[in-house]
Amino acid sequence: MRTLIDIGPEVVKEDNHDYSIRADFMWTATLALNRLLSTGVPGDWSTHALGHEITALNHTDHARTLSAILPAVMMVRREQKFDKLVQYAENVWGITDGSTEVKVDTAILKTAAFLKSLDMPVTLKEIDVKSDDIDYLIEQLDIHGNTQISERGDQTLAVSRAIYEKALELEF
């Protein structure tokens, strides 16, 4: 994520054909996708499962579904992921001042601001998901066996519903 923060603003410039930046972006994506970086560390891919159902719903590309759902995942799952979110705040964003609660809040806001700076959506409203769509999304998670996801398997359909609902109501 630190690499994406560093190079993201340059990567999204369509007229920037800097091979080195593009190569760094592709290498970063490859490392994330092949899960090499998460070897020996629990990984949570629940954001992806939620995002896949949005893509199937309205054909929004996967990256945009991830950015639209990630802040809500961080907020709804805050308590269960608190220690990881503190690490994220400190190690990715360099947030060292304030209480752990303030660090987490700041990291979530910085994440949303960064994604917005890349012209990425950070709420479901921005990708045309409506409250009426949530039942369908939950039904599809169930059909696809995504009823207990996250690194601990503790993200139930009720929790996924709460995430979708939070992502729909957020304002940044």
Side-chain angles (χ1 to χ4, degrees):
M1 186 68 173
R2 284 190 307 225
T3 300
L4 294 178
I5 292 164
D6 289 343
I7 67 174
E10 292 301 314
V11 168
V12 298
K13 293 179 182 174
E14 290 186 25
D15 61 342
N16 184 348
H17 303 290
D18 183 321
Y19 178 83
S20 180
I21 288 173
R22 301 263 176 215
D24 286 348
F25 175 72
M26 293 308 295
W27 182 242
T28 301
T30 298
L31 289 175
L33 289 172
N34 72 17
R35 299 184 184 189
L36 180 64
L37 297 177
S38 62
T39 301
V41 179
D44 180 359
W45 290 82
S46 63
T47 305
H48 288 266
L50 298 175
H52 285 305
E53 300 307 343
I54 298 166
T55 296
L57 170 73
N58 68 12
H59 307 292
T60 300
D61 71 75
H62 190 51
R64 294 174 65 77
T65 68
L66 296 177
S67 68
I69 204 81
L70 181 60
V73 169
M74 292 175 163
M75 290 175 176
V76 171
R77 304 285 291 157
R78 177 190 176 104
E79 184 178 319
Q80 295 80 11
K81 299 182 174 303
F82 193 78
D83 292 340
K84 280 292 182 189
L85 288 169
V86 172
Q87 289 178 355
Y88 174 72
E90 294 172 347
N91 297 331
V92 172
W93 291 107
I95 303 167
T96 57
D97 294 332
S99 68
T100 53
E101 289 80 10
V102 167
K103 289 177 184 180
V104 169
D105 289 340
T106 304
I108 294 169
L109 291 174
K110 282 183 164 277
T111 301
F114 169 68
L115 293 168
K116 285 180 72 139
S117 79
L118 301 179
D119 200 28
M120 295 295 285
V122 292
T123 71
L124 290 182
K125 287 181 282 199
E126 295 173 86
I127 56 172
D128 298 321
V129 174
K130 312 280 187 274
S131 61
D132 292 347
D133 296 325
I134 294 176
D135 286 339
Y136 171 81
L137 294 169
I138 295 300
E139 179 181 307
Q140 292 305 301
L141 285 170
D142 189 21
I143 289 169
H144 296 125
N146 289 317
T147 59
Q148 292 184 291
I149 53 180
S150 86
E151 71 276 21
R152 295 180 196 96
D154 62 350
Q155 185 172 317
T156 63
L157 291 176
V159 175
S160 294
R161 177 180 295 281
I163 291 168
Y164 282 136
E165 289 170 350
K166 175 62 88 175
L168 197 58
E169 73 184 32
L170 283 174
E171 301 272 339
F172 286 101

